[in-house]
Amino acid sequence: MQFGVFTVGDVTVDPTNGREPTERERIKAMVTIALKAEEVGLDVFATGEHHNPPFVPSSPTTMLGWIAARTERLLLSTATTLITTNDPVKIAEDYAMLQHLADGRVDLMMGRGNTGPVYPWFGQDIRNGIPLAIENYDLLRRLWREDVVDWRGKFRTPLQSFTSTPRPLDGVPPFVWHGSIRSPEIAEQAAYYGDGFFANHIFWPAEHTRRMVGLYRQRFEHYGHGSADQAIVGLGGQVFMRKNSQDAVREFRPYFDNAPVYGHGPSLEEFTAQTPLTVGSPQQVIDRTLGFRDYVGDYQRQLFLVDHAGLPLKTVLEQLDLLGEEVVPVLRKEFESLRPAHVPLAPTHASLRAAAEQADTDQSAGTEAGR
C-alpha cells in the first residue's frame, strides 16, 4: 500500500499571528514538504492544480519536474489534473515528458476541479463538465497508446495523423486515477477503463465514500477487469497530530475555525465526528485510518492533507515526522497483514511495464500456437 501527502497549495493567513506567506514562500514550502516526504519514508507526493488565488500550483509538471530532480524514490502525482479545461494533447505531452525525466516515477489524477470560473478562463462551459471529462480522457488515452491518431470530437479541433511527443516511457503510459468528491459518472469512467478511483474523502461522511467506492467496484467487475475487491482505490484524508490529543485539538482549532474551505461552519468536534478529519494523537490517526477499510474494503493508496489553512511550514514538517516515524510504519504492517493475496498492490511504472511485457509474450505464444 502506498502512503503519502497531497497539497492544494493554498496561500492562507496564519490566524495565530496574522502573517500571510508570499507566493514564492508557499511554492518553496511545497517543494520542502515533498523532499521531507521522501526523507521520512513516504511513497507519494501529489500536488493540486488551480488557476485562481489563493492557490499557487498552476503548473504541476513544472513543480513535479523540479522535485523529480531532487528525489530518488518518491512517486510524483497530481491531486487534480484538470481534464476538462486542459487540452488533452498538452496533458499527453507534458506528463510523458515528466515521466521520462522522473524515470517513470509519475502517475496522475484526473479531475474537474472545484472552481467554476476556470471553465470560461480556458474557453469552456461548466455545463459541459462531465462530457468534457469523458471526451478529453478518451482522446488522452489514444494519444498515449496509438503512435498516429486520427480523431474528431465535439470540444476541440480534429486531429489528423497526429503523434504526440515524447512517447510514453517504455511504451507504458502513466497510471491514471480518477478523482471525485460527488460525481458517480467519474466512478463509472474509472471503472470502464479499469483505471484507479480516488475518493477525496475529506468533506463528506463515510457513508457517501462507501457508496461511491462501492459503485466503482461494482462497475469495475461489470466491465471485466477483475473482481470488485481487485479494483484500484485511493483515499484522501486529513490529519493534525501531537503526542497528546488535547494539545492537537488546542493547536489546530484556530486554523480550523478560520480555514477558507470549512471555517465558520460546523465546530471542529462536529466536523471530526461527521467526516474523516482526525485531530489527535498518532494512535488516534492509526485507529481512524485503519477503520477506513471497514467501509471501502482493501485499498491501494492513502494520501493525507497536512499543509493547508495557514499552518506554518515548521508545523507541517513536524506532522511529516510523526507520519513517517509513528503512523505509517504501523499502517503498512496492519494493512498488509489484512490484504488478501488476490488483491493487487498499487500500480507502478515497473509493474505496468512487466504486465505489458507479459501480455506481449502471451500474445506471441498464442500466435505461434495458432500456426
Side-chain angles (χ1 to χ4, degrees):
M1 186 164 171
Q2 296 171 347
F3 295 91
V5 291
F6 71 102
T7 178
V8 295
D10 60 311
V11 178
T12 303
V13 173
D14 184 332
T16 66
N17 58 23
R19 186 179 185 281
E20 179 179 301
T22 65
E23 290 181 324
R24 180 181 185 277
E25 288 172 333
R26 188 66 173 102
I27 291 167
K28 293 286 190 177
M30 292 164 67
V31 173
T32 300
I33 290 165
L35 302 182
K36 182 71 170 181
E38 177 166 272
E39 177 190 321
V40 301
L42 301 186
D43 304 304
V44 184
F45 172 82
T47 175
E49 178 187 345
H50 295 277
H51 299 276
N52 58 293
F55 304 100
V56 294
S58 59
S59 180
T61 51
T62 303
M63 170 167 285
L64 295 178
W66 175 253
I67 294 170
R70 303 180 65 186
T71 55
E72 297 180 356
R73 185 188 55 81
L74 193 67
L75 281 166
L76 307 171
S77 189
T78 56
T80 305
T81 296
L82 297 178
I83 188 62
T84 46
T85 50
N86 282 313
D87 184 352
V89 173
K90 189 67 171 140
I91 295 176
E93 296 188 336
D94 281 354
Y95 285 91
M97 175 70 79
L98 178 60
Q99 193 189 32
H100 283 271
L101 291 172
D103 297 323
R105 293 184 289 125
V106 174
D107 59 33
L108 63 163
M109 188 191 307
M110 299 297 173
R112 292 179 294 135
N114 58 4
T115 306
V118 74
Y119 285 83
W121 294 341
F122 287 85
Q124 299 294 349
D125 186 332
I126 192 173
R127 291 170 294 185
N128 295 326
I130 294 293
L132 276 164
I134 293 170
E135 180 176 292
N136 284 354
Y137 184 60
D138 179 68
L139 174 56
L140 175 62
R141 284 182 63 88
R142 289 190 58 188
L143 291 168
W144 273 339
R145 289 165 173 81
E146 300 175 25
D147 290 337
V148 180
V149 173
D150 292 299
W151 179 90
R152 181 179 296 272
K154 180 178 179 181
F155 298 110
R156 79 173 313 281
T157 54
L159 296 173
Q160 185 173 358
S161 300
F162 178 77
T163 300
S164 69
T165 58
R167 305 304 298 145
L169 178 65
D170 301 321
V172 178
F175 184 73
V176 169
W177 304 81
H178 298 259
S180 180
I181 297 176
R182 61 186 180 275
S183 301
E185 297 92 339
I186 302 305
E188 175 76 16
Q189 183 183 38
Y192 177 79
Y193 291 109
D195 294 337
F197 179 68
F198 190 92
N200 177 275
H201 202 226
I202 288 180
F203 304 118
W204 290 64
E207 177 60 23
H208 172 78
T209 300
R210 184 192 67 78
R211 290 196 302 267
M212 290 288 286
V213 173
L215 171 63
Y216 162 66
R217 289 189 183 280
Q218 176 189 356
R219 300 301 288 171
F220 181 95
E221 182 172 299
H222 168 80
Y223 287 117
H225 301 298
S227 60
D229 61 353
Q230 292 177 312
I232 308 299
V233 173
L235 294 183
Q238 207 169 343
V239 298
F240 185 85
M241 294 174 286
R242 288 301 184 202
K243 297 286 188 180
N244 181 289
S245 60
Q246 289 83 2
D247 291 339
V249 171
R250 183 177 63 253
E251 185 176 345
F252 188 65
R253 188 180 300 280
Y255 295 97
F256 176 89
D257 289 346
N258 293 279
V261 175
Y262 46 49
H264 313 289
S267 69
L268 175 58
E269 286 73 16
E270 291 170 332
F271 203 82
T272 53
Q274 297 168 6
T275 78
L277 171 65
T278 307
V279 180
S281 67
Q283 187 60 51
Q284 286 174 301
V285 170
I286 291 169
D287 293 341
R288 191 82 181 275
T289 305
L290 288 173
F292 296 164
R293 182 178 178 273
D294 295 339
Y295 55 88
V296 302
D298 293 287
Y299 64 110
Q300 284 77 11
R301 175 175 285 187
Q302 175 67 58
L303 301 184
F304 296 106
L305 177 63
V306 296
D307 74 327
H308 67 127
L311 287 166
L313 178 59
K314 177 178 180 294
T315 300
V316 174
L317 298 180
E318 291 166 352
Q319 298 297 301
L320 288 169
D321 279 329
L322 289 170
L323 280 175
E325 294 169 7
E326 300 192 32
V327 174
V328 168
V330 177
L331 292 177
R332 282 194 204 282
K333 181 179 178 181
E334 293 296 324
F335 275 120
E336 182 57 29
S337 70
L338 295 167
R339 181 180 65 87
H342 70 281
V343 172
L345 299 173
T348 64
H349 182 75
S351 69
L352 294 172
R353 183 179 61 193
E357 291 171 350
Q358 184 61 50
D360 289 342
T361 300
D362 293 344
Q363 184 178 18
S364 297
T367 300
E368 287 296 322
R371 287 178 179 175

